[in-house]
């Protein structure tokens, strides 16, 4: 890469960073110096900056800029809130949107969507949305306080909903696992450009996510009928999201880059990331911006792949994504040459299916045998594949009854599998609450008893005893009968006992809800230290925070099927999509499965 | 197939629909495992017994009170109901010896359907060996029986009946009875996984078994009243055990060890086969827990 291009890339990256953080003036200067941005785009940054700081005449400038951009695409405005004299005004919401659910608060310049419990608040557009080949939705949003992952910008089509989900630390496209990390606490303009072929997501005018409908991974939502903001409440948590304005444009042309051509800019950045071996940057670019051309960078991608193979833990999903950027023959060649370098997984789950009876207690009941009633069987797991490598802390997430614990038990050899194979390299131990502990015995006695069930001898437990007691923070209560412990004390003791060991493969089933917030933090830290002693930790948990913060890999299971395996952030995103966007049918993931299986075939020698 | 992992010095586990295969253990590892398992079993047995006396006002004393009360019941039956004269007090010991040893057996058999189900949490959450679970269950019952044996010894001393050299045969008879109990307990515990009502049926069956065994009456009574069925009667192992215990404790004579040895060999062999089978089958039937 020439030093000129390298410099350009660095300037662009800095400009994008500035724009992301609302530093439009600096961004504009940087872009001008890079020579890569057209004047209209520079004007756009300037007007957005003025709009957000509410300078005099900013509304007029904003409208003029948008009119100029729209004119480039023959786009017409379908409706929105920016038409008032003061573009940022809650009046526009009053006139053009209808609320459903309690918690909407109007301020002069914004509206707040607030939930204080388990309910939904939706603000849906009233204006007519005529069918267009491309719909452009601009939303000026702001999340200065806790919103969890529960705020949505929805484009409600005839056949499905396309949505952006907002958290305090990122934006994700609601139809798959893609997530763009950014600070959403400052006001930003989020733009969805939905054409017949693709959906593009811009943040402050910069392309951040692109998905192609033609790949089959996501379907086109059909003609967009409404635009909506939605906040999904969480029991016991107060959430708030602010909207400053929304407008919707439509045009008959296929438009992808509403704010000007972006791909060449991203190619420049990709090139710089490859040059600097910034694997996270490359991974984000190639996975978030679908269709980005990588043909010119194959050699550098291969160099990056070579580097990844030697890393611990081995991030197979990153390698799969990078391999997916190579041409078929090049990928096959790389596979052939490097198959022996790919580390052996410590845990390998291959095509595992498990069937259970819903009523096992009736298996041999006289009534069933005489009436010849079939066993009510169901698939607890269906064709699950998973590879866990040395150094991995893998989080298994999913709703209750999804099959998380069943998979863990199958890995521990405690549940028979119907098809497939599980291979584990090293000693393994599954720990869950209970574990042979007796209510009648004291904490001290239960440490020894539980230890015995965990295959320890009393002498070995002697050596661990002080550490277990001190970590569990039970103090003098250690000599009280277990049955008189609070639930928190019980879980703390079990967790302390469980994590005092260091088998090669440690499996923890729902042990992370131990105690109060302080103890949970301490528990997570202890678990992280554990990985230095164990080769692999597998955690079944409902703690999304833990998965995001501490796991190196995650598996999301839904109705017994492995929906996503790879980046913890992405797995959580996928899980939240299912929780909050139930209208999406599982079948829609067929494309993802196809895509993954394609990558698998490339990856597997 | 990850054959690379199956190289030497690497522990591996392979799980397929056919079952679980593990890397082979060395002789030293097997011996260490055996020793550790016994240490663990001893500890868990103690815990089990502690749990049984937990919350009882008499605490550990309850373990003695229970056989004392039982002895009192049989004393009442023999002294009050049957009105034996004091010179016939051997009749009380005659019953007590049989009852003590029978209860050891019946408690193991009656309790066996609950062995697996009552430890389902540990078994479905850990790889705790089923074999060790049986050792613990039988160990706990045997430890409690030892307390009963102490109570029996006290009564023997009170009634000035002092066993002699015949006691050397006692371990063999007890071992034979234990092998019979284990042989029955293993399949019954698995049966208990599928038939939750097995325990209820068993109590009735063992009660009948007690009455067709010479516990309350001498075996000579059967030989006298129904000589044609004596050979059938002798198929009942307790027709030999109870007679043997009385001979050892009350008559100080070595019992006929032939049938007892035969039962020991047959039951031990069957028990070993059962344990091997059920340890492997655990993988398949534990989903019913």
């Amino acid at each position: 890469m020439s030093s000129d291009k390298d410099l350009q890339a660095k300037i662009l990256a800095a400009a994008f960073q500035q724009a992301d953080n609302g530093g439009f003036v600096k961004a504009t200067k940087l872009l001008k110096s890079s020579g890569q941005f057209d004047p209209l785009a520079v004007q756009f940054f300037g007007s957005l900056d003025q709009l957000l700081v509410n300078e005099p005449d900013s509304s007029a400038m904003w409208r003029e800029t948008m009119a100029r951009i729209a004119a480039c695409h023959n786009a017409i405005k379908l409706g929105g809130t920016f038409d008032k004299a003061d573009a940022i005004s809650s009046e526009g919401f009053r006139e053009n949107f209808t609320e459903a659910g309690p918690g909407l608060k109007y301020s002069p310049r914004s509206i707040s969507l607030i939930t204080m419990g388990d309910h939904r608040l939706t603000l849906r557009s009233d204006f007519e949305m005529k069918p267009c080949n491309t719909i452009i939705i601009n939303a000026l949003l702001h999340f200065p306080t806790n919103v969890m992952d529960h705020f949505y910008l929805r484009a409600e089509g005839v056949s499905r909903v396309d949505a952006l989900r907002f958290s305090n630390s990122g934006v994700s496209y609601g139809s798959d696992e893609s997530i763009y990390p950014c600070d959403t606490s400052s006001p930003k303009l989020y733009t969805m450009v939905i054409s017949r072929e693709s959906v593009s997501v811009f943040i402050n005018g910069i392309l951040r996510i692109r998905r192609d409908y033609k790949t089959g991974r996501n379907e086109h939502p059909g003609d967009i009928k409404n635009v909506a903001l939605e906040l999904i409440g969480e029991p016991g948590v107060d959430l708030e999201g602010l909207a400053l304005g929304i407008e919707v444009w439509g045009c008959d042309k296929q438009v992808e880059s509403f704010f000007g051509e972006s791909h060449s800019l991203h190619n420049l950045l990709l090139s710089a990331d490859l040059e600097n071996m910034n694997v996270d940057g490359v991974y984000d670019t190639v996975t978030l911006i679908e269709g980005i051309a990588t043909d010119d960078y194959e050699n550098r991608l291969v160099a990056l792949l070579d580097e990844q193979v030697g890393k611990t833990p081995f991030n197979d999903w990153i390698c799969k994504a990078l391999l997916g950027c190579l041409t078929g023959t090049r990928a096959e060649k790389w596979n052939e040459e490097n198959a022996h370098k790919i580390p052996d997984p410590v845990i390998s789950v291959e095509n595992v299916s498990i069937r259970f009876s819903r009523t096992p207690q009736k298996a041999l009941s006289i009534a069933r045998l005489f009436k010849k009633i079939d066993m009510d069987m169901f698939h607890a797991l269906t064709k699950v594949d998973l590879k866990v490598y040395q150094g991995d802390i893998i989080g298994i997430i999913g709703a209750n009854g999804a099959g998380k614990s069943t998979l863990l038990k199958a890995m521990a050899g405690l549940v028979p599998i119907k098809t497939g194979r599980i291979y584990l390299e090293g000693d393994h131990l599954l720990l869950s609450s209970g574990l042979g502990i007796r209510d009648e015995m004291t904490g001290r006695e239960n440490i020894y008893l539980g230890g015995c069930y965990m295959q320890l001898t009393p002498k070995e437990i002697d050596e661990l005893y002080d550490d277990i007691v001190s970590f569990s923070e039970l103090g003098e209560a250690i000599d009280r009968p277990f049955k008189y412990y609070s639930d928190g004390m019980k879980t703390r003791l079990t967790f302390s006992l469980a994590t005092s060991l260091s088998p090669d493969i440690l499996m923890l089933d729902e042990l992370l809800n131990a105690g109060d917030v302080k103890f949970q933090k301490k528990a997570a830290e202890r678990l992280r230290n554990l990985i230095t002693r164990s080769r692999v930790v597998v955690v079944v948990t409902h703690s999304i925070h833990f998965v995001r913060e501490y796991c190196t890999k995650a598996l999301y299971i839904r109705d017994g099927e492995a929906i996503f395996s790879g980046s913890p952030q992405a797995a959580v995103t996928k899980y939240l999509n299912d929780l909050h966007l139930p209208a999406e049918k599982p079948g829609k993931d067929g494309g993802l499965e196809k895509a993954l299986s394609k990558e698998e075939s490339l990856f597997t020698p | 197939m990850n054959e690379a992992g199956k190289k030497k010095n690497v522990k591996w586990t392979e799980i397929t629909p056919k079952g679980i295969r593990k890397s082979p253990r060395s002789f030293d590892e097997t011996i260490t495992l055996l020793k550790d398992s016994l240490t663990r079993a001893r500890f868990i047995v103690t815990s089990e017994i502690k749990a049984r006396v937990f919350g009882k006002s008499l605490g550990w004393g309850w373990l003695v009170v229970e056989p004392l009360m039982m002895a009192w019941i049989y004393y009442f039956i023999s002294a009050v109901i049957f009105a034996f004269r004091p010179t016939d007090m051997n009749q009380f010991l005659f019953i007590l010896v049989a009852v003590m040893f029978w209860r050891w057996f019946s408690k193991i058999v009656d309790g066996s359907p609950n062995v697996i189900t009552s430890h389902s949490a540990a078994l479905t959450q850990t790889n705790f060996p089923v074999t060790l679970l049986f050792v613990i269950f039988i160990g706990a019952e045997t430890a409690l029986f030892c307390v009963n044996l102490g109570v029996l010894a006290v009564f023997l001393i009170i009634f000035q009946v002092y066993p002699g050299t015949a006691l050397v045969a006692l371990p063999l008879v007890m071992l034979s009875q234990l092998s019979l109990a284990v042989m029955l307990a293993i399949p019954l515990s698995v049966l208990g996984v599928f038939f939750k009502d097995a325990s209820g049926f068993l109590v009735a069956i063992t009660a009948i078994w007690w009455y067709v065994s010479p516990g309350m009456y001498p075996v000579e009574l059967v030989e006298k009243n129904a000589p044609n069925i004596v050979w059938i009667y002798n198929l009942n192992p307790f027709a030999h055990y109870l007679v043997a215990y009385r001979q050892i404790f009350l008559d100080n004579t070595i019992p006929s060890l032939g049938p007892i040895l035969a039962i020991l060999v047959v039951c031990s062999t069957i028990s070993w086969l059962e344990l091997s089978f059920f340890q492997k089958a655990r993988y398949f039937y534990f989903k019913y827990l």
Side-chain angles (χ1 to χ4, degrees):
Chain A
M1 191 175 184
S2 72
S3 57
D4 279 356
K5 276 196 169 179
D6 192 25
L7 184 64
Q8 270 187 346
K10 281 180 180 163
I11 292 171
L12 268 179
F16 282 14
Q17 181 88 34
Q18 285 291 341
D20 252 7
N21 296 329
F24 298 109
V25 178
K26 281 187 183 172
T28 308
K29 282 181 187 166
L30 286 165
L31 287 171
K32 278 180 180 168
S33 68
S34 77
Q36 285 287 322
F37 231 48
D38 63 45
L40 185 55
V42 174
Q43 182 184 332
F44 168 75
F45 268 14
S47 62
L48 187 57
D49 180 50
Q50 292 198 5
L51 186 71
L52 290 174
V53 296
N54 197 26
E55 287 197 356
D57 298 330
S58 63
S59 299
M61 189 176 170
W62 168 256
R63 277 191 284 271
E64 186 204 321
T65 306
M66 288 307 295
R68 280 190 64 191
I69 293 171
C72 298
H73 307 291
N74 291 329
I76 53 162
K77 189 183 268 188
L78 301 178
T81 66
F82 288 114
D83 290 334
K84 295 283 156 193
D86 186 0
I88 297 186
S89 157
S90 59
E91 277 306 299
F93 283 105
R94 282 188 199 276
E95 292 172 11
N96 296 297
F97 284 79
T98 303
E99 65 199 78
L104 200 64
K105 184 183 158 195
Y106 287 91
S107 306
R109 269 176 63 82
S110 65
I111 53 154
S112 300
L113 282 79
I114 301 166
T115 58
M116 298 171 79
D118 187 14
H119 65 90
R120 286 185 183 224
L121 170 58
T122 309
L123 194 63
R124 188 168 279 110
S125 63
D126 290 332
F127 49 85
E128 191 186 348
M129 303 270 280
K130 72 166 198 170
C132 297
N133 278 325
T134 304
I135 290 285
I136 300 109
I137 304 163
N138 279 327
L140 206 51
L141 306 172
H142 186 195
F143 306 99
T145 55
N146 185 22
V147 71
M148 290 182 79
D149 291 87
H150 292 21
F151 195 96
Y152 286 85
L153 169 62
R154 296 162 60 97
E156 299 175 344
V158 174
S159 56
R160 58 180 279 272
V161 174
D162 242 357
L164 287 185
R165 183 181 47 254
F166 300 89
S167 71
N168 294 102
S169 59
V171 181
S172 43
Y173 174 54
S175 294
D176 61 31
E177 68 285 351
S178 56
I179 178 162
Y180 176 73
C182 66
D183 175 15
T184 58
S185 62
S186 58
K188 286 183 170 58
L189 182 76
Y190 301 94
T191 306
M192 285 180 85
V193 178
I194 302 168
S195 74
R196 296 287 169 194
E197 293 179 351
S198 67
V199 57
S200 301
V201 179
F202 296 78
I203 298 175
N204 286 343
I206 298 163
L207 179 66
R208 292 304 186 185
I209 299 170
R210 183 186 179 279
R211 286 288 176 266
D212 202 331
Y213 292 132
K214 285 190 294 187
T215 59
R217 204 168 163 179
N218 301 300
E219 287 174 13
H220 187 270
D223 291 334
I224 303 297
K225 293 292 177 195
N226 292 98
V227 174
L229 295 174
E230 186 170 60
L231 182 60
I232 299 172
E234 179 85 3
V237 186
D238 297 348
L239 305 178
E240 183 181 15
L242 275 75
L244 304 174
I246 292 182
E247 64 180 11
V248 184
W249 297 78
C251 61
D252 289 331
K253 285 201 298 186
Q254 292 284 340
V255 175
E256 281 197 13
S257 299
F258 190 64
F259 299 103
E261 205 277 319
S262 295
H263 276 57
S264 61
L265 303 178
H266 283 286
N267 269 318
L268 199 61
L269 288 177
L270 176 64
S271 171
D273 282 337
L274 281 165
E275 191 70 21
N276 299 324
M277 300 294 256
N278 175 10
V279 70
D280 291 334
V282 173
Y283 177 76
D284 280 349
T285 305
V286 298
T287 53
L288 288 174
I289 303 173
E290 208 168 71
I292 190 164
T294 53
D295 302 352
D296 297 339
Y297 310 116
E298 289 214 330
N299 287 338
R300 277 185 260 163
L301 281 167
V302 166
L304 201 59
L305 271 167
D306 290 343
E307 188 203 48
Q308 285 302 301
V309 167
K311 277 192 175 175
T312 301
F314 173 61
N315 292 326
D316 54 348
W317 74 91
I318 291 181
C319 282
K320 281 176 188 174
L322 298 181
L323 269 175
C325 297
L326 300 179
T327 53
T329 48
R330 190 71 192 266
E332 279 171 22
K333 191 181 168 206
W334 187 88
N335 265 324
E336 280 171 21
E337 288 171 358
N338 293 279
H340 65 285
K341 292 183 191 165
I342 295 169
D344 287 329
V346 178
I347 302 174
S348 171
V349 178
E350 298 160 15
N351 198 33
V352 165
S353 298
I354 293 174
R355 285 188 83 203
F356 277 154
S357 164
R358 290 186 203 279
T359 51
Q361 78 281 9
K362 291 182 180 171
L364 291 176
S365 77
I366 301 295
R368 196 188 76 78
L369 294 174
F370 273 90
K371 290 178 185 171
K372 294 183 178 174
I373 303 166
D374 287 336
M375 289 284 281
D376 186 8
M377 303 296 282
F378 72 101
H379 275 94
L381 287 179
T382 310
K383 295 179 179 174
V384 172
D385 286 300
L386 177 69
K387 284 187 168 55
V388 187
Y389 297 89
Q390 175 140 357
D392 266 331
I393 304 179
I394 178 163
I396 302 178
I397 53 172
N400 286 331
K404 308 182 294 294
S405 295
T406 304
L407 175 62
L408 205 65
K409 285 181 182 176
M411 286 198 259
L414 298 172
V415 166
I417 60 175
K418 188 169 170 61
T419 64
R421 172 181 177 267
I422 298 171
Y423 180 84
L424 299 105
E425 198 177 277
D427 286 329
H428 63 273
L429 184 63
L430 167 64
L431 299 167
S432 49
S433 54
L435 205 72
I437 277 176
R438 298 197 75 131
D439 274 353
E440 306 88 351
M441 301 178 73
T442 65
R444 182 190 299 271
E445 289 165 334
N446 268 314
I447 289 175
Y448 283 89
L449 187 60
C452 283
Y453 280 108
M454 286 155 56
Q455 313 289 317
L456 293 171
T457 60
K459 201 177 168 187
E460 287 168 324
I461 302 165
D462 280 340
E463 289 166 17
L464 300 169
Y465 181 81
D466 288 341
D467 174 57
I468 295 166
V469 175
S470 112
F471 189 82
S472 64
E473 299 174 355
L474 285 173
E476 290 175 1
I478 199 71
D479 286 317
R480 279 186 6 220
F482 194 73
K483 70 187 297 181
Y484 301 128
Y485 283 11
S486 68
D487 286 346
M489 289 163 85
K490 285 178 180 175
T491 325
R492 259 159 40 205
L493 182 62
T494 318
F495 182 85
S496 306
L497 178 61
T499 50
S500 63
L501 296 176
S502 50
D504 292 332
I505 302 167
L506 180 64
M507 305 175 189
L508 302 175
D509 192 1
E510 307 278 9
L511 274 179
L512 290 168
N513 301 324
D516 52 22
V517 176
K518 187 180 149 213
F519 187 83
Q520 280 196 18
K521 201 174 169 187
K522 201 172 138 186
E525 202 53 46
R526 182 167 164 105
L527 210 54
R528 198 154 60 165
N529 292 336
L530 196 65
I531 196 68
T532 58
R533 291 181 278 143
S534 291
R535 292 171 69 195
V536 158
V537 178
V538 186
V539 184
V540 164
T541 181
H542 285 288
S543 170
I544 284 170
H545 172 74
F546 179 83
V547 174
R548 275 184 176 152
E549 290 293 316
Y550 298 102
C551 290
T552 57
K553 190 175 189 175
L555 171 71
Y556 166 42
I557 298 182
R558 182 182 63 202
D559 298 334
E561 289 184 49
I563 299 299
F564 182 84
S565 161
S567 149
Q569 296 280 356
V572 167
T573 303
K574 193 80 183 152
Y575 174 40
L576 290 171
N577 287 344
D578 284 351
L579 277 181
H580 295 163
L581 298 170
E584 287 192 81
K585 294 185 179 73
K588 303 251 168 77
D589 290 322
L592 172 62
E593 282 158 20
K594 271 187 266 171
L596 285 176
S597 63
K598 183 187 161 198
E599 285 165 357
E600 187 71 42
S601 64
L602 280 171
F603 193 64
T604 311
Chain B
M1 189 91 165
N2 192 342
E3 295 298 340
K6 292 186 179 176
K7 57 186 178 274
K8 277 185 180 176
N9 303 325
V10 175
K11 285 185 182 174
W12 52 264
T13 307
E14 186 181 30
I15 302 163
T16 65
K18 289 179 183 171
I20 302 174
R21 287 199 312 137
K22 291 189 175 189
S23 48
R25 278 194 205 103
S26 68
F27 179 74
D28 286 351
E29 283 175 327
T30 309
I31 295 295
T32 310
L33 184 71
L34 200 66
K35 274 188 197 166
D36 289 350
S37 296
L38 287 175
T39 314
R40 280 199 294 273
R42 201 178 58 202
F43 186 85
I44 297 174
V45 165
T46 315
S47 307
E48 289 272 334
I49 295 170
K50 271 187 191 172
R52 289 192 196 192
V53 299
F54 175 82
K56 293 196 167 72
S57 304
L58 290 169
W60 289 95
W62 176 252
L63 297 179
V64 180
V65 170
E66 195 197 6
L68 276 175
M69 285 173 71
M70 189 188 64
W72 185 85
I73 289 168
Y74 284 98
Y75 179 81
F76 180 79
I77 291 170
S78 53
V80 180
I81 308 288
F82 293 128
F84 291 128
R85 294 183 305 274
T87 50
D88 292 334
M89 264 304 117
N90 257 4
Q91 191 61 32
F92 161 63
L93 293 177
F94 178 91
I95 295 172
L96 189 65
V97 166
V99 165
M100 289 288 187
F101 283 92
W102 170 261
R103 273 175 63 86
W104 177 36
F105 172 79
S106 69
K107 276 192 162 186
I108 291 174
V109 172
D110 291 346
S112 57
N114 301 321
V115 173
I116 292 177
T117 49
S118 63
H119 290 83
S120 61
L123 289 170
T124 53
Q125 290 171 16
T126 69
N127 279 304
F128 196 74
V130 189
T131 319
L132 200 55
L133 193 65
F134 280 110
V135 171
I136 290 161
F137 168 62
I138 287 163
E141 291 301 340
T142 304
L144 292 172
F145 165 72
C146 287
V147 178
N148 292 9
L149 212 53
V151 172
L152 176 65
V154 170
F155 276 97
L156 287 172
I157 291 165
I158 290 170
F159 288 95
Q160 296 179 344
V161 176
Y162 302 108
T165 50
L167 269 178
V168 294
L170 183 64
L172 184 70
V173 184
M174 284 174 66
L175 197 64
S176 179
Q177 180 183 323
L178 189 64
S179 70
L180 174 70
V182 172
M183 185 193 78
L184 294 171
I186 295 167
L188 287 171
S189 63
V190 178
L191 190 72
V193 173
F194 300 100
F195 292 105
K196 306 294 178 208
D197 27 18
S199 189
F201 283 116
L202 262 180
V203 172
I205 291 169
T206 49
I208 294 167
W209 193 344
W210 163 244
Y211 289 109
V212 297
S213 301
M216 302 284 283
Y217 52 87
V219 74
E220 291 79 13
L221 211 61
V222 181
E223 287 165 358
K224 185 181 163 190
N225 294 337
N228 295 335
I229 61 156
V230 167
W231 68 275
I232 298 175
Y233 193 81
N234 282 335
L235 291 176
N236 175 2
F238 275 87
H240 307 282
Y241 293 145
L242 299 184
V243 171
Y245 290 128
R246 283 174 185 142
Q247 285 176 331
I248 291 167
F249 283 105
L250 305 180
D251 304 338
N252 194 21
T253 53
I254 301 279
S256 167
L257 295 177
I260 285 163
L261 267 172
I263 297 168
L264 174 64
V265 171
V266 171
C267 291
S268 302
T269 310
I270 295 175
S271 299
W272 183 79
L273 291 172
E274 285 173 343
L275 273 177
S276 314
F277 176 75
F278 288 123
Q279 177 66 24
K280 282 180 186 165
R282 153 198 181 132
Y283 180 58
F284 299 99
Y285 67 74
F286 271 24
K287 65 180 173 183
Y288 294 104
L289 282 173

